[in-house]
Amino acid sequence: MHNYVFPAMFALFVWWFSTGAIIFLDNLPRKTFKWSMLGATIVSLSCLYGLKVTASQTSLVSAYEAFFFGLFAWGWQEISFYMGYVTGTRNEPCPEGCSGWKHFGHAIETSLYHEVAIIISACTIFVLTRHQPNQIGMWTFMVLWWMHQSAKLNVFFGVRNLNEEFLPEHLNFLKSFLKSKPMNLFFPISITVSMVIATMLFEHAASAPTAFERSGDTFLGTMMALAILEHWFLVIPLPAGKLWQWGLASRKPTKAFDVEIVAGFLGAGKTTFMRRRLDELASLDQSVSGKTVVLVNDFSSVGIDGSLLNNQGADVVELPNGCICCSLRDDLSRQLEDTVARWAPDRVLIEPSGVADIASLIGVMQRPALRPFLRNLTVTTIIDAGAFLGDYAKLPAHFAAQAKLASTLVINKADVVSPAERAAVAETLRRINPAVSIVTARYGVIDATINTAIDAVPMRHTQIQAADACDAHECNEHCDHTDHTHHDHARHDHAHDDHHDHHEHHHNHAEAELGFTSWNTDLHGHCDAAALQSVLDGIVEGKFGTIARVKGLTKSGKGWLHFDVAGGRASMTAFAAGSDEQPRVVAIGQHIHEAALADAFRACDIKLAA
């Protein structure tokens, strides 16, 4: 039995540890790369020599040695690529709108030299071990090559979990060649091939006459089984990346950065305000504005806002799966640490969901790993002027908490209400937070021309300490630490059935405090604009339940539409979609008639609408 169990455990451990070690080395400061590369080259040459020596030996020890040498010879290929020494002729993202064979050609260019190096290494190992009885090292190298090529093609064609967090900053351009989708047609082929080979290897191991052969086949069968597992990690919603989270410990913030939080209730105009802010930063010289990274958090498991903020001159990191609340503090802290370590930004803009716990978010910024690097923290809270009176009547504690934590309050959509109503909104906010700056805006743009009674003062940038966020009673009232649970679903596209596609995302925190749930579905075909407008009008009129917010993207005519329901108003605008954009819609409310809403959106298809 030890000829099977021990080799399998040995292969599993060495594979796991060596992968994590490479991730650790790849995320150290770049000044260390030359030493890591030198060490990896010495190890690789030693392994090639070891493969030559063990090729003629058939003892149990030589089986272990050959497997080890083959695996570590492969390690040089990984280190040389991820450190940027042996990559390809292309080191920039694929152009916007590029697709098809041209896109595939650009992808090949990014790793051309890397693939040539693998072929040369494989040929070298073949020559060193040919006609010899111990071929375990050579076949270990070949199995790893198969794992590499198959996984690479799958992330190119599209999988659910891209594990982009493991890409070093200098290889961020590769993200333009990764596609997020539930599955691709190549995936079942790669899984089937791996399963057939693994089965054959294990069967051969079971009938092998010697310990050398049994161990060797078990090594190779285990690696093929790991290939299968690695592939399933790409498509099932499991946090597989945590297996090597320790490898990212080498990522540390390298410089101080500012944090700007843009908060606000559902539909207040946070994303529009963020786009204006990004436009403002893009208009400045980069030596003045610095590098900006955006973190977006959607209430629903399917995000829309991240797509709206793409191509705005900043890297966008999406944090879907609901409100940033107490139970997500650790996840958010790790994500923020990884973000600032990878991109070394001068500024991080954060757009939390409309029902987020801002106090907890501010608390994350004060954690020991981040606090020494945090220069300034500002909170800009966006208020929907037209919806405020009704929303405040229902949720006074929520609005009071957001107003108290704000550095600046922006009364957005100020043009849709009378001067008297604007003054009432401003006075309410002023009583909650007498020291806050209050300004008015239209479409997210600060507008000094609106005639208001507000004594507007310049937007201020104030360092907010964790102790200032809220007192113990307020925090406990806003977010119950003892009874709170949070259902966290990974972002995913949804399977389609004959009736309708939907995904309901419940938040116990939101239901206990605010009573909201979310629903989403994929949209198929091309939407008829008139039919879509009719559905949006029906949502505003309450035909589909009590819905506070709807946002979505859809194909229409020769282009795309971004549609929206916020503050009791519906709108549609043109949208420039990327090549991998997926048509989808998200609704957030307290009582959503899901089946009727799904049928209504499906009926917007041009063929059905006709």
Side-chain angles (χ1 to χ4, degrees):
M1 193 65 181
H2 65 276
N3 289 151
Y4 305 111
V5 176
F6 289 168
M9 296 300 293
F10 182 79
L12 179 61
F13 175 77
V14 174
W15 169 77
W16 169 78
F17 180 79
S18 59
T19 301
I22 291 172
I23 293 172
F24 185 89
L25 293 173
D26 287 339
N27 286 283
L28 287 170
R30 297 197 70 174
K31 62 184 180 181
T32 67
F33 283 10
K34 59 183 178 181
W35 303 112
S36 297
M37 192 64 196
L38 176 62
T41 302
I42 293 173
V43 170
S44 181
L45 292 174
S46 301
C47 289
L48 291 177
Y49 176 76
L51 287 170
K52 178 177 175 61
V53 172
T54 57
S56 60
Q57 302 172 5
T58 57
S59 66
L60 182 60
V61 172
S62 67
Y64 277 82
E65 290 175 338
F67 171 76
F68 182 88
F69 293 147
L71 191 146
F72 273 74
W74 173 263
W76 184 91
Q77 312 295 332
E78 298 290 278
I79 287 178
S80 64
F81 177 77
Y82 286 107
M83 288 188 177
Y85 285 103
V86 184
T87 54
T89 58
R90 186 181 188 87
N91 58 2
E92 57 186 19
C94 195
E96 190 71 26
C98 181
S99 60
W101 285 107
K102 188 174 182 180
H103 182 57
F104 185 72
H106 288 159
I108 292 176
E109 291 174 0
T110 63
S111 60
L112 182 60
Y113 301 147
H114 173 57
E115 301 300 339
V116 171
I118 293 176
I119 294 172
I120 293 174
S121 297
C123 291
T124 301
I125 294 173
F126 173 76
V127 170
L128 292 175
T129 62
R130 66 175 178 170
H131 305 315
Q132 298 296 323
N134 189 345
Q135 297 287 309
I136 295 172
M138 186 198 73
W139 285 113
T140 297
F141 189 93
M142 300 303 290
V143 168
L144 288 164
W145 189 3
W146 160 252
M147 293 172 67
H148 163 80
Q149 290 297 126
S150 180
K152 187 176 178 181
L153 287 170
N154 272 288
V155 297
F156 176 80
F157 293 133
V159 290
R160 189 187 309 282
N161 305 317
L162 297 173
N163 292 325
E164 297 172 312
E165 68 270 24
F166 293 112
L167 273 179
E169 181 185 356
H170 55 275
L171 294 181
N172 276 335
F173 68 91
L174 292 177
K175 291 180 182 178
S176 65
F177 298 97
L178 309 182
K179 183 177 293 185
S180 179
K181 59 189 296 187
M183 192 182 290
N184 63 79
L185 294 177
F186 179 69
F187 180 83
I189 297 174
S190 56
I191 285 289
T192 302
V193 171
S194 297
M195 290 183 65
V196 169
I197 297 175
T199 302
M200 293 173 62
L201 287 167
F202 283 129
E203 286 182 348
H204 194 270
S207 60
T210 67
F212 167 78
E213 291 179 283
R214 288 194 293 270
S215 297
D217 289 335
T218 302
F219 282 134
L220 299 176
T222 301
M223 294 306 295
M224 288 306 303
L226 289 173
I228 297 168
L229 182 64
E230 187 180 64
H231 279 64
W232 280 114
F233 280 159
L234 295 174
V235 298
I236 57 178
L238 289 176
K242 291 186 177 180
L243 287 172
W244 296 284
Q245 197 68 36
W246 59 273
L248 295 175
S250 55
R251 283 185 182 173
K252 297 294 181 185
T254 56
K255 64 179 181 180
F257 59 94
D258 297 330
V259 172
E260 299 178 20
I261 300 173
V262 179
F265 194 55
L266 300 167
K270 298 185 297 297
T271 304
T272 301
F273 184 86
M274 286 277 280
R275 295 180 73 177
R276 304 299 187 196
R277 178 68 174 131
L278 290 172
D279 286 343
E280 175 189 338
L281 293 171
S283 66
L284 301 175
D285 187 275
Q286 191 166 5
S287 61
V288 177
S289 65
K291 182 174 180 60
T292 299
V293 173
V294 178
L295 268 66
V296 182
N297 171 240
D298 274 302
F299 179 79
S300 171
S301 62
V302 173
I304 298 290
D305 295 342
S307 295
L308 301 180
L309 292 171
N310 273 322
N311 304 316
Q312 295 290 121
D315 293 298
V316 177
V317 179
E318 290 192 77
L319 301 172
N321 315 325
C323 55
I324 296 176
C325 50
C326 305
S327 63
L328 284 182
R329 281 180 172 180
D330 290 338
D331 290 340
L332 175 64
S333 180
R334 283 193 295 269
Q335 180 68 69
L336 190 54
E337 288 174 38
D338 290 346
T339 297
V340 299
R342 181 188 308 174
W343 281 291
D346 298 281
R347 179 184 300 98
V348 177
L349 303 184
I350 302 178
E351 182 191 336
S353 75
V355 293
D357 176 9
I358 305 302
S360 290
L361 178 54
I362 293 173
V364 168
M365 308 301 166
Q366 307 299 328
R367 293 201 166 186
L370 295 172
R371 187 169 184 173
F373 301 95
L374 183 59
R375 272 196 309 251
N376 294 295
L377 171 61
T378 59
V379 179
T380 301
T381 299
I382 312 299
I383 302 294
D384 184 338
F388 178 78
L389 295 183
D391 290 340
Y392 183 78
K394 300 173 186 175
L395 304 166
H398 178 77
F399 282 90
Q402 290 205 341
K404 286 179 181 179
L405 296 172
S407 310
T408 301
L409 288 166
V410 178
I411 302 177
N412 194 30
K413 309 179 187 178
D415 55 316
V416 303
V417 298
S418 67
E421 190 170 337
R422 285 198 299 272
V425 173
E427 181 62 21
T428 304
L429 298 171
R430 178 72 71 196
R431 291 191 180 190
I432 296 172
N433 188 349
V436 74
S437 303
I438 302 178
V439 295
T440 56
R442 292 188 295 184
Y443 296 101
V445 179
I446 306 300
D447 192 342
T449 65
I450 296 180
N451 181 23
T452 90
I454 299 172
D455 181 17
V457 293
M459 295 177 68
R460 62 190 180 97
H461 295 266
T462 306
Q463 181 79 25
I464 299 177
Q465 302 297 330
D468 298 330
C470 61
D471 60 30
H473 172 73
E474 287 174 327
C475 282
N476 288 335
E477 181 181 6
H478 188 65
C479 187
D480 188 338
H481 291 259
T482 57
D483 298 328
H484 173 86
T485 57
H486 182 89
H487 295 283
D488 185 16
H489 298 258
R491 178 180 180 180
H492 59 284
D493 298 292
H494 311 291
H496 314 306
D497 58 40
D498 293 334
H499 179 57
H500 65 275
D501 310 322
H502 80 276
H503 172 80
E504 186 177 305
H505 190 118
H506 291 280
H507 299 267
N508 286 358
H509 171 72
E511 286 201 290
E513 296 290 336
L514 306 177
F516 287 100
T517 59
S518 70
W519 166 92
N520 57 68
T521 187
D522 296 333
L523 299 177
H524 310 293
H526 286 67
C527 256
D528 177 75
L532 178 59
Q533 184 65 57
S534 178
V535 174
L536 300 180
D537 291 340
I539 292 171
V540 172
E541 295 167 7
K543 293 180 178 179
F544 303 99
T546 307
I547 300 177
R549 186 80 165 96
V550 172
K551 47 189 173 181
L553 302 170
T554 183
K555 296 177 181 177
S556 183
K558 295 182 179 180
W560 285 69
L561 286 174
H562 165 228
F563 57 90
D564 198 280
V565 173
R569 293 178 295 277
S571 65
M572 291 191 299
T573 57
F575 177 67
S579 58
D580 60 346
E581 197 64 73
Q582 299 295 319
R584 59 200 186 277
V585 58
V586 174
I588 302 170
Q590 294 171 313
H591 303 288
I592 304 174
H593 300 163
E594 298 175 0
L597 191 59
D599 289 340
F601 275 112
R602 190 174 68 253
C604 288
D605 183 279
I606 287 179
K607 295 178 181 178
L608 295 176

